[in-house]
Amino acid sequence: MRNPLSLLCLLLLVLGGCSQSDVQRYKDLENSIQSMVEDKSQSEIRVNTLTNFAWEKAYSFTPYTTQGNIEEKLGVNFKDPSNLEMRDDIYLLVFVNGDKVVQYAEIDRQKTDFSFGEKGQLTPEDDVISIERH
């Protein structure tokens, strides 16, 4: 008979490893936003027109945001794969559907700031990001 404690540990490792396995970096969105920023005639981005998956809210995180602040704002566990806490070159955009993070994007600052308004989050119905170039 196998050791029940070993089986439990293995099960926890497998389940823990799967908790973010379906969270993917959305590189197509990153490329689309970069193209829009490079096009000087663009002053805003409508995020919902660029996504192809279900999401209820998207949260933006500015450079140097800590892991704790990200999880507090999201209200769910999410290990920041970009290490935003140590970076000043990107914004992190995290998409949530239900109680689960479903996608994230690293948005290159490119001498640009992005405004999400005072709400601090986006929804599919209210999805405008303003581009502020330097």
Side-chain angles (χ1 to χ4, degrees):
M1 177 182 254
R2 291 193 167 144
N3 182 341
L5 184 56
S6 296
L7 288 174
L8 178 62
C9 288
L10 179 61
L11 180 62
L12 289 174
L13 284 172
V14 168
L15 291 176
C18 293
S19 65
Q20 288 189 34
S21 64
D22 54 349
V23 178
Q24 298 177 10
R25 182 172 169 188
Y26 196 20
K27 292 184 181 184
D28 288 343
L29 177 63
E30 294 172 5
N31 294 333
S32 295
I33 290 175
Q34 181 174 344
S35 294
M36 295 178 88
V37 169
E38 290 171 358
D39 179 355
K40 303 295 185 198
S41 69
Q42 299 286 334
S43 62
E44 65 182 31
I45 300 164
R46 297 206 61 100
V47 175
N48 199 34
T49 64
L50 303 174
T51 57
N52 61 2
F53 57 90
W55 60 282
E56 294 174 347
K57 294 181 181 176
Y59 297 89
S60 166
F61 299 97
T62 59
Y64 304 118
T65 302
T66 66
Q67 175 69 42
N69 286 343
I70 290 172
E71 287 190 349
E72 182 180 330
K73 190 171 184 181
L74 292 175
V76 298
N77 291 332
F78 175 68
K79 171 78 173 97
D80 170 20
S82 65
N83 198 24
L84 189 62
E85 187 170 353
M86 305 298 285
R87 298 180 67 178
D88 68 356
D89 61 327
I90 63 167
Y91 285 85
L92 184 64
L93 187 59
V94 181
F95 293 88
V96 177
N97 195 32
D99 61 352
K100 191 173 168 188
V101 173
V102 292
Q103 298 270 347
Y104 73 94
E106 296 177 2
I107 310 301
D108 189 353
R109 289 186 63 195
Q110 309 175 51
K111 297 183 182 178
T112 306
D113 286 321
F114 300 95
S115 173
F116 292 77
E118 294 182 22
K119 58 194 172 297
Q121 70 184 28
L122 302 174
T123 64
E125 298 78 29
D126 188 9
D127 64 338
V128 176
I129 299 173
S130 297
I131 302 170
E132 300 172 5
R133 294 176 180 86
H134 302 279

